[in-house]
Amino acid sequence: MAQTERPASITCARCGAEKSVGRSGPVPTYCSAACRAALGYERARRDGRYEAILAEARQRSAQDRLNAAKPCPYCATPMDGPRRVQCGAVACKRRYHADRQIARSRLIKESTGAWPHRQYADQQRQYEAQRRAEQAHWRIRYPEVAALSDARRRLLKGQARTAESFAPRDVHVRDGWICQLCHLPVDPALRWPDVLSASVDHVIPLARGGMHSLTNVQCAHLGCNSRKGDRESTDVTGRRQS
């Protein structure tokens, strides 16, 4: 029996490309594994096997999700994911994260003996006290700038063209010790440079031509007065007062 001669190259049964054949092993029919897989996919699409397998897989996945479904602990909506802890609604997300934060706070309370927000408040107060002790007020650090600022303010008061004289306490008592910028009480016991201490604010700033008179001044926290600057009278949210 005559031995069949081994071809030197073959033509791919799918794409028609030429492919060289080695000296050993079976003679290939396709140029690559990708062509062989693509031809199998095309045949499965033509005879309907692909759609049948896909529909079966989808039905099996839907049944698996149905079997693993559980109600949302917040709104009782069925959840098809076995690893989900809430349904995904905005309200449920908020309640879930709130519960996590409460559980974390309780764990910290059990381990340290104090609630975390109180620990943070104590740490913040300690930091502020340390910062005030280490870093002096700008008037102490920069006396030349403070002197120039005071001279400019005295000049503006002199240019206000008014002879009316009053004490800051008269303004505070008239306004009931209520800050007219943030509308919160002012503690008379606090002293400068505490940001919550009492100060006199000019409704129309002197730099904008305002008068140094009782009709143009109001009670304000030192911090609120500083944030306002030389703008017209506004509250702490930036809304213009009527």
Side-chain angles (χ1 to χ4, degrees):
M1 183 175 180
Q3 186 176 3
T4 305
E5 184 179 358
R6 186 178 182 84
S9 63
I10 57 100
T11 301
C12 180
R14 178 179 178 271
C15 65
E18 293 290 334
K19 176 180 175 61
S20 60
V21 179
R23 294 182 181 181
S24 62
V27 178
T29 306
Y30 308 98
C31 63
S32 63
C35 267
R36 182 171 61 249
L39 184 60
Y41 170 75
E42 293 169 357
R43 289 174 178 174
R45 292 296 297 263
R46 284 197 299 268
D47 58 21
R49 287 182 294 124
Y50 177 81
E51 285 76 9
I53 295 174
L54 185 61
E56 182 182 356
R58 288 175 176 173
Q59 183 178 3
R60 186 167 56 252
S61 298
Q63 186 63 35
D64 292 342
R65 289 195 301 268
L66 184 62
N67 295 336
K70 58 181 180 180
C72 174
Y74 301 103
C75 64
T77 301
M79 301 183 299
D80 55 3
R83 300 178 61 181
R84 301 199 65 168
V85 294
Q86 39 86 17
C87 64
V90 176
C92 295
K93 282 184 179 180
R94 291 177 177 174
R95 293 178 60 185
Y96 168 71
H97 289 297
D99 290 344
R100 285 189 60 187
Q101 184 63 33
I102 292 174
R104 175 180 172 275
S105 299
R106 288 176 177 171
L107 183 62
I108 295 176
K109 174 67 164 58
E110 293 175 358
S111 60
T112 63
W115 293 102
H117 66 276
R118 293 184 179 177
Q119 295 179 1
Y120 173 77
D122 294 340
Q123 293 173 0
Q124 187 67 20
R125 282 193 291 268
Q126 294 175 4
Y127 167 75
E128 292 294 339
Q130 180 181 359
R131 187 178 65 87
R132 286 194 298 268
E134 294 177 353
Q135 184 176 3
H137 194 267
W138 70 272
R139 283 184 170 272
I140 302 175
R141 298 172 61 192
Y142 309 106
E144 298 85 0
V145 178
L148 291 175
S149 177
D150 293 341
R152 179 176 178 271
R153 185 167 182 83
R154 286 193 297 269
L155 178 62
L156 291 174
K157 285 185 177 181
Q159 294 174 352
R161 298 184 305 275
T162 177
E164 187 173 0
S165 178
F166 55 88
R169 184 176 180 83
D170 298 337
V171 181
H172 305 326
V173 173
R174 183 198 64 185
D175 294 339
W177 294 94
I178 300 296
C179 177
Q180 301 302 306
L181 297 178
C182 68
H183 310 292
L184 294 178
V186 177
D187 189 355
L190 297 178
R191 294 292 181 264
W192 179 91
D194 195 307
V195 294
L196 297 180
S197 61
S199 69
V200 175
D201 169 58
H202 290 83
V203 179
I204 301 177
L206 299 178
R208 296 181 178 271
M211 306 294 288
H212 185 63
S213 61
L214 278 174
T215 59
N216 192 44
V217 293
Q218 59 187 359
C219 178
H221 290 120
L222 180 61
C224 297
N225 197 350
S226 299
R227 283 193 297 271
K228 174 192 169 186
D230 62 349
R231 297 186 298 271
E232 293 186 11
S233 184
T234 56
D235 60 16
V236 291
T237 60
R239 297 190 299 267
R240 189 183 301 276
Q241 289 182 346
S242 57

